[in-house]
Amino acid sequence: MLDALQKLGRVTLGFFQRLGRGHLFLLQIFTTIPGVLIRPRLILTQLYTVGVLTLLIILVSGLFVGLVLGLQGYNTLVDFGAEDSLGVMVALSLVRELGPVVAALLFAGRAGSALTAEIGLMKATEQLSGMEMMAVDPVQRVVTPRFLASFISLPLLAAIFSAIGIYGGYLVGVGLLGVDDGAFWGQMQDKVDLQGDVYNGIIKSIVFGFVAGWIALFEGYDAVPTAAGVSRATTRTVVHTSLAVLGLDFVLTALMFGD
Amino acid sequence: MTEPVVQIRDLHFARGERMIFDGIDLDIEPDGVTAIMGPSGTGKTTLLKLIGGQLRPQSGSIRVYGEEVTGLSRHGLFELRKKMGMLFQSGALLTDINVFENVAYPIREHTRLPDALIRDLVLMKLQAVGLRGASAMMPSELSGGMARRVALARAIALDPMMVMYDEPFTGQDPISKGILVKLIRELNDALGLTSIVVSHDVLETAAIADYVYLLSQGKVIEHGKPEALLASDSEWARQFLDGKADGPVAFHYPAADFRDDLLRGGRA
Ligand SMILES: Nc1ncnc2c1ncn2[C@@H]1O[C@H](COP(=O)(O)OP(=O)(O)O)[C@@H](O)[C@H]1O
Ligand SMILES: [Mg+2]
């Protein structure tokens, strides 16, 4: 009994210590942003590895999600004779929800895990310590450029995901099932609100980019510097980012569209 | 007498429950090679990290070039570290850039020199460690001995005043050991450095050191000129220098009574 209580105490303490370290880490990232901004090349290289290399999986997944939305949406809408609204349905699902959320989940699997493993291995092989001893701040040099790259690329990737998804819905709806071309785009233009829908979707993906980058980099930086430690950290990145994204999505949706 | 480069007084450092340093006094004189020897796990690496300010002691003073490391701000520490080079046990080269870029790295980070000049500087440092020909290789293509020499070229890239070597000879074949031994001494004299060599290779280290500290169990056990230490008849020094399994340093890591441990049966 006492053992269990002790264990509970230790786990709880450990959790809050980690939470504290995580926030200090974020603060460190913030303080080094100005130093990174004057060296945009650092960010550009990371935009390539974090963003561009994730593009393919985003394109393919976006297309398939759009195709499925087109099929499912048509089957439901046609019963009510409302198949002309397919464009609206596809666009709203993507822009409000699926674009930001699915892009963030894919991002965690493709880019987040890679970031954690990279930073964790750099820690395990003393590269980060080595930088410290060369009077180079590893947070500024290694972590912050990757954080900014995540923060910038996820909203763009989510937008691309939505765009290609809408095109997928169009292919199935208009190309295959014979929905009227003009109605598909016209109703979409009419009913999708720039402020209420598009901006809110962008805000979501900005928040997700922030959280995904923070979690992935912190897990790597805080990893136990061994092979097993880095592997655990990589798994945690994917799991925690996914949970955080889904949880935050609910909170943000409630705030934005709740009333 | 000249002021020591590193002056450590009554240093206490613990990791969790475990006391690593229990009151250490140590001076590193300028322009020489000082060796710090002791069995694995005594805290030699830890000591270098304390001197470099990567770890903070629980109590005691560490002065490097007259500055109290334990009280320095992050900025002050970074300024101080520009005067130090450190060779990590693993080399700690950046694995995603080649040998040339690794050596150029600290120069690019800390100066605004034109590329042509950086190129000359880097080639000079690589020439000094005999690896100018390897400048296009990636760290993963280097042998252990070559990686350490590249790391050494990087450590001296900014012309530091002091270089710390963490077990430079461990895991090296006799030839690269010999090369490293010679390099450390030659660079020390040619560049007017102060060198700290952490090692447990008694003969190699004694051959190039001007002064030796022997550490064990959180204390400085002996110190003096290498010849004097090699001739020492203290029980502890003899155990370490002659490599005896048991002596003042026990073979067994501290543990509960063996009989009690066995009698407890399956309960760990
Ligand atoms: N990051 C760490 N966390 C906890 N204990 C550590 C850590 N690094 C080293 N130690 C412990 O500190 C002691 C000294 O380590 P170290 O300085 O690496 O010894 P040496 O370099 O003399 O072999 C060892 O007992 C080691 O287990
Ligand atoms: Mg060591």
Side-chain angles (χ1 to χ4, degrees):
Chain A
M1 176 65 200
L2 241 122
D3 262 13
L5 218 63
Q6 217 174 23
K7 205 167 163 187
L8 183 73
R10 205 168 26 240
V11 170
T12 316
L13 266 181
F15 172 76
F16 281 108
Q17 271 174 0
R18 253 176 84 78
L19 205 65
R21 283 204 302 278
H23 283 86
L24 283 177
F25 179 71
L26 191 62
L27 202 71
Q28 251 180 307
I29 293 183
F30 284 153
T31 54
T32 52
I33 285 179
V36 175
L37 288 180
I38 54 173
R39 293 176 65 183
R41 268 185 63 133
L42 288 181
I43 308 176
L44 283 180
T45 10
Q46 291 312 318
L47 274 178
Y48 180 76
T49 44
V50 170
V52 178
L53 295 183
T54 315
L55 192 57
L56 185 67
I57 183 174
I58 290 283
L59 287 175
V60 174
S61 318
L63 184 66
F64 279 117
V65 168
L67 292 173
V68 170
L69 273 178
L71 278 175
Q72 295 281 18
Y74 181 84
N75 280 336
T76 311
L77 292 173
V78 80
D79 290 344
F80 306 98
E83 66 269 24
D84 283 351
S85 303
L86 183 65
V88 184
M89 199 222 94
V90 170
L92 282 185
S93 325
L94 281 165
V95 170
R96 283 181 171 187
E97 287 297 332
L98 293 174
V101 172
V102 178
L105 296 179
L106 292 170
F107 185 86
R110 168 67 184 73
S113 59
L115 286 175
T116 305
E118 187 186 16
I119 308 264
L121 278 175
M122 286 182 86
K123 182 177 182 187
T125 52
E126 294 192 302
Q127 295 184 51
L128 298 182
S129 274
M131 285 187 179
E132 288 253 351
M133 285 308 294
M134 287 189 279
V136 174
D137 180 359
V139 172
Q140 168 160 1
R141 187 62 175 65
V142 177
V143 173
T144 306
R146 286 167 174 77
F147 177 77
L148 291 175
S150 309
F151 183 67
I152 296 170
S153 34
L154 188 49
L156 295 175
L157 290 170
I160 293 171
F161 186 96
S162 297
I164 193 107
I166 290 171
Y167 183 67
Y170 170 81
L171 280 184
V172 169
V174 177
L176 203 67
L177 302 171
V179 175
D180 182 57
D181 199 354
F184 186 91
W185 296 114
Q187 286 215 15
M188 195 191 299
Q189 264 183 357
D190 205 37
K191 291 276 162 41
V192 179
D193 181 36
L194 186 66
Q195 187 106 37
D197 299 318
V198 179
Y199 285 176
N200 278 338
I202 294 175
I203 291 173
K204 275 187 182 177
S205 61
I206 289 177
V207 173
F208 296 160
F210 182 96
V211 170
W214 179 22
I215 292 181
L217 293 165
F218 177 67
E219 287 293 352
Y221 201 76
D222 202 54
V224 178
T226 59
V230 174
S231 122
R232 268 200 309 274
T234 311
T235 310
R236 268 205 308 267
T237 290
V238 177
V239 174
H240 289 187
T241 310
S242 306
L243 291 177
V245 163
L246 295 170
L248 277 171
D249 182 50
F250 172 69
V251 174
L252 289 172
T253 308
L255 286 177
M256 290 166 175
F257 307 104
D259 50 18
Chain B
M1 228 187 100
T2 45
E3 168 103 340
V5 171
V6 179
Q7 189 177 51
I8 294 178
R9 288 293 173 267
D10 198 29
L11 175 71
H12 288 261
F13 179 78
R15 282 217 192 253
E17 300 281 283
R18 197 157 162 238
M19 184 59 88
I20 310 242
F21 294 123
D22 189 10
I24 280 193
D25 295 325
L26 188 147
D27 285 329
I28 309 279
E29 298 297 334
D31 301 328
V33 176
T34 304
I36 297 173
M37 294 202 243
S40 298
T42 8
K44 302 183 297 297
T45 304
T46 307
L47 184 65
L48 293 186
K49 290 194 170 166
L50 283 161
I51 294 175
Q54 283 196 303
L55 297 170
R56 304 247 159 175
Q58 269 78 27
S59 70
S61 134
I62 304 171
R63 300 182 78 82
V64 180
Y65 288 107
E67 289 192 86
E68 181 62 48
V69 174
T70 50
L72 280 180
S73 67
R74 200 169 164 76
H75 178 76
L77 262 182
F78 273 18
E79 286 306 311
L80 184 63
R81 284 181 192 157
K82 289 182 192 167
K83 296 187 209 162
M84 320 176 171
M86 174 149 172
L87 193 74
F88 280 81
Q89 214 162 333
S90 61
L93 295 175
L94 300 174
T95 43
D96 55 344
I97 52 181
N98 68 19
V99 165
F100 181 93
E101 287 302 326
N102 260 289
V103 179
Y105 190 84
I107 309 180
R108 289 198 209 282
E109 288 292 321
H110 292 304
T111 68
R112 289 275 158 270
L113 296 176
D115 270 349
L117 191 55
I118 292 183
R119 182 169 180 278
D120 291 350
L121 281 175
V122 172
L123 291 182
M124 269 162 58
K125 304 295 175 191
L126 282 173
Q127 176 77 7
V129 298
L131 289 178
R132 192 165 45 82
S135 64
M137 287 166 84
M138 294 302 285
S140 56
E141 301 169 313
L142 302 173
S143 72
M146 286 162 83
R148 275 186 214 183
R149 278 148 74 192
V150 174
L152 178 51
R154 183 179 71 174
I156 58 171
L158 284 177
D159 293 316
M161 299 162 76
M162 175 176 116
V163 179
M164 301 192 273
Y165 301 88
D166 193 359
E167 305 206 4
F169 314 124
T170 308
Q172 302 295 310
D173 63 79
I175 299 177
S176 37
K177 227 185 232 185
I179 295 176
L180 283 164
V181 168
K182 208 161 134 291
L183 256 179
I184 291 175
R185 185 74 236 185
E186 282 178 3
L187 286 176
N188 183 77
D189 298 345
L191 304 178
L193 297 170
T194 302
S195 306
I196 306 178
V197 181
V198 154
S199 177
H200 44 227
D201 293 84
V202 176
L203 292 179
E204 285 81 2
T205 315
I208 53 165
D210 299 310
Y211 205 83
V212 181
Y213 282 89
L214 287 184
L215 297 185
S216 180
Q217 292 163 346
K219 303 256 190 219
V220 173
I221 301 286
E222 299 233 357
H223 59 104
K225 301 232 170 262
E227 312 81 55
L229 274 189
L230 288 177
S232 156
D233 52 9
S234 100
E235 214 185 328
W236 193 92
R238 292 276 38 109
Q239 187 197 354
F240 182 69
L241 300 172
D242 302 340
K244 294 185 187 135
D246 223 338
V249 177
F251 166 68
H252 288 289
Y253 193 83
D257 186 74
F258 191 30
R259 185 164 173 276
D260 289 350
D261 231 359
L262 292 178
L263 287 178
R264 273 202 306 178
R267 301 181 44 219

